[in-house]
Amino acid sequence: MSLGFRFSEYIPAPEENNGFESLLKLFMQLITITSGDVAEALAWLNSLDKQYNLTNDQYGMGDFIEDLKKKGYLDEDPQRQGTFKITAKSEQQIRKSALEEIFGKLKKGTKGTHATPHTGVGDEASTDQREYRFGDAIEQISMTDSLRNAQINHGLSDFMLTEQDLEVTETEHKTQASTVLMIDISHSMILYGEDRITPAKKVAMALAELVKQKYPKDTLDVIVFGNDAWQIEIKDLPYLEVGPYHTNTVAGLELAMDILRKRKTPNKQIFMITDGKPTCLKEGLRYYKNSFGLDRKVVNKTINLAAQCRKLKIPITTFMIATDPYLQQFVDEFTKVNNGQAYYSSLKGLGHLVFKDYRQNRRKTF
C-alpha cells in the first residue's frame, strides 16, 4: 500500500455556453446606454461583432438572441409587432451587472443593517467585553472567559460559577436608514458629446441592488429632476433618459424632503448626483430660468433648502460631476450650510465614492 498523493495536470472543463455569458455582459452594458432599446442595443452588438469577431461558427448572433428569449431575458413587445423588450429578469441582471462593476470588491453582508456608535443588545458581536448585567442574553456570555474567571476567583478544588464570574461579549446596535437618491436628467448630462447619464444610471442601479441585497431593512427612493422633479421606480432605472430640461434642484430637494418626512426610520439622508448648477425655479405655473452664471435668486432658494434639511437632520451628499471653480464654490457653500458632504468626481471614480460615503453616512452622528 503506497502513501501520499499523485498529481497530474489540471485541465478545467470547458464552460458551458461561454459565448452566451460573454455576450450577455456586453448586451447588458449596451441596454443601459440605449435606455432599454433592444433593437438599438442588438444593432450595436452586431456592429461590434463584425469589427471584433465576438461570435464564431459554433455560436452566432442568432443563437444568442434565441438564448436570450429561452432564458427569459427578452420578450415580445405587444405594442410593436416583431420587436422585443427586456423582461424583469433583464432589469435585475442589469442592476447586478452594475453592482459587480462598481462595487465588485464588496463582500456580502449577513444582516443587512447598519452599525451605530452605541453598544448594548444588538445583532453583531464586537471585540469589547464586560461583566454580566441583568437582562443580557445568554448567547452573549463568553463561556471561556467566564470559566477562567471562576477558576481565578474560587480555585479548582472548590470550583463554582457565580454571576460575578460571568463575562459577556458586547454587541453593537443596528439601525435602519432611509435614503433618497436624486439624479439630474437635465440636458447638460449629455452636453458637449459627453455621456454622463449612463454612469449616473449605473451608480443608481448598483446602489439599488446593494441596498436590496446588503441592507434589506432600508428604504431607497429614487427621484429625477429637470425642470420639475418626480419619483421613479427602481425597475425604471435602465430606461432613464435625459430631457431638454434645465436644472431645478429646488424641486428635487423639496420632493426628497417630502418623501423622507413620511419615513419613520431614525436615519435619513439624500444623495444628489448632478453635473451642473441650479438654473431653474417654478413660481406658480411659470418657470424662472437662467443658465448663465450663478443666479442668486435660484442659488439662494437652493441654499435655504440645504439649511432646512440640516434642521431636520437630513445630511446631503453631493456628487458634482464638474471641475469648474465657480461650481465648486457653489457646492462648498451648499455643503457648509447643510453640514453634509461633497465630492468632486470624475465619472470613472463616481461609483467608488458613492459606496464609500454610503457606508460612512449610515451611522447616526450628532
Side-chain angles (χ1 to χ4, degrees):
M1 180 177 179
S2 60
L3 299 176
F5 300 93
R6 176 173 295 179
F7 295 93
S8 61
E9 182 183 1
Y10 172 69
I11 303 176
E15 294 186 23
E16 183 181 357
N17 212 354
N18 184 54
F20 174 78
E21 295 299 332
S22 58
L23 288 174
L24 180 64
K25 291 181 180 179
L26 185 54
F27 178 70
M28 291 301 166
Q29 294 278 352
L30 295 175
I31 277 292
T32 304
I33 296 172
T34 62
S35 299
D37 190 323
V38 175
E40 186 179 359
L42 289 175
W44 284 16
L45 193 58
N46 267 310
S47 178
L48 291 171
D49 183 27
K50 292 177 182 177
Q51 187 173 357
Y52 298 105
N53 298 319
L54 302 177
T55 62
N56 50 46
D57 295 337
Q58 286 75 37
Y59 193 81
M61 284 300 300
D63 300 314
F64 174 63
I65 294 173
E66 284 301 314
D67 280 344
L68 285 174
K69 292 189 290 183
K70 290 178 182 178
K71 296 177 183 292
Y73 291 102
L74 291 184
D75 207 351
E76 294 280 349
D77 190 341
Q79 297 180 348
R80 299 183 346 187
Q81 192 173 5
T83 60
F84 298 101
K85 65 175 183 177
I86 59 175
T87 62
K89 181 178 181 179
S90 286
E91 293 166 356
Q92 184 181 31
Q93 181 63 40
I94 294 170
R95 294 197 301 270
K96 286 183 177 180
S97 297
L99 177 63
E100 182 179 348
E101 178 183 350
I102 296 174
F103 305 137
K105 297 179 181 180
L106 177 68
K107 292 183 179 180
K108 288 186 177 180
T110 55
K111 292 289 185 181
T113 48
H114 310 280
T116 69
H118 313 292
T119 56
V121 180
D123 300 315
E124 184 175 313
S126 71
T127 57
D128 299 328
Q129 290 187 314
R130 58 169 173 79
E131 72 282 357
Y132 174 83
R133 298 172 191 160
F134 179 77
D136 287 334
I138 294 178
E139 56 267 23
Q140 284 183 258
I141 297 174
S142 172
M143 291 307 301
T144 301
D145 294 310
S146 298
L147 290 172
R148 181 200 61 206
N149 293 338
Q151 291 176 4
I152 294 173
N153 295 335
H154 311 294
L156 291 175
S157 58
D158 189 22
F159 181 78
M160 60 187 300
L161 182 65
T162 68
E163 182 178 329
Q164 286 68 36
D165 301 323
L166 296 179
E167 192 167 327
V168 301
T169 301
E170 192 67 278
T171 57
E172 296 178 348
H173 276 298
K174 296 294 184 175
T175 185
Q176 291 176 277
S178 293
T179 301
V180 173
L181 176 62
M182 295 173 52
I183 306 174
D184 184 350
I185 58 168
S186 63
H187 182 62
S188 60
M189 293 292 279
I190 56 169
L191 206 57
Y192 312 119
E194 187 173 48
D195 178 14
R196 299 169 180 174
I197 190 61
T198 297
K201 285 195 295 184
K202 285 184 178 181
V203 168
M205 290 187 292
L207 184 61
E209 194 65 15
L210 175 66
V211 170
K212 187 176 180 181
Q213 290 186 12
K214 190 172 176 62
Y215 306 106
K217 296 179 182 178
D218 282 13
T219 65
L220 174 66
D221 296 281
V222 183
I223 64 176
V224 294
F225 63 104
N227 290 349
D228 297 286
W230 61 94
Q231 192 168 0
I232 65 171
E233 298 291 333
I234 291 175
K235 66 180 181 63
D236 296 328
L237 284 171
Y239 311 102
L240 199 59
E241 293 183 282
V242 168
Y245 308 125
H246 286 70
T247 308
N248 193 343
T249 311
V250 168
L253 289 171
E254 288 177 339
L255 179 56
M257 292 168 66
D258 287 341
I259 292 171
L260 290 175
R261 282 191 189 100
K262 300 173 184 177
R263 300 298 183 190
K264 304 303 181 184
T265 51
N267 301 310
K268 301 174 183 181
Q269 65 180 351
I270 296 172
F271 288 163
M272 180 169 65
I273 302 175
T274 181
D275 73 335
K277 59 188 180 295
T279 61
C280 176
L281 286 175
K282 191 171 185 179
E283 300 177 325
L285 298 177
R286 289 187 167 188
Y287 293 96
Y288 175 83
K289 303 173 182 177
N290 186 356
S291 299
F292 301 98
L294 288 172
D295 188 310
R296 289 315 304 184
K297 180 177 181 179
V298 181
V299 170
N300 289 343
K301 180 69 172 176
T302 310
I303 296 296
N304 288 340
L305 285 177
Q308 288 183 36
C309 284
R310 180 174 181 173
K311 289 181 180 179
L312 295 171
K313 297 182 180 179
I314 301 175
I316 303 171
T317 302
T318 305
F319 300 89
M320 179 63 75
I321 313 171
T323 56
D324 309 63
Y326 79 100
L327 290 180
Q328 292 187 13
Q329 183 181 357
F330 158 71
V331 175
D332 285 343
E333 182 183 1
F334 178 86
T335 305
K336 184 177 180 180
V337 169
N338 174 256
N339 197 28
Q341 290 183 301
Y343 296 96
Y344 308 95
S345 173
S346 65
L347 297 178
K348 183 177 179 181
L350 183 60
H352 173 71
L353 288 175
V354 168
F355 172 64
K356 178 181 178 183
D357 193 53
Y358 184 82
R359 293 290 301 273
Q360 292 175 350
N361 266 3
R362 309 314 287 169
R363 299 172 185 265
K364 188 173 183 178
T365 57
F366 298 91

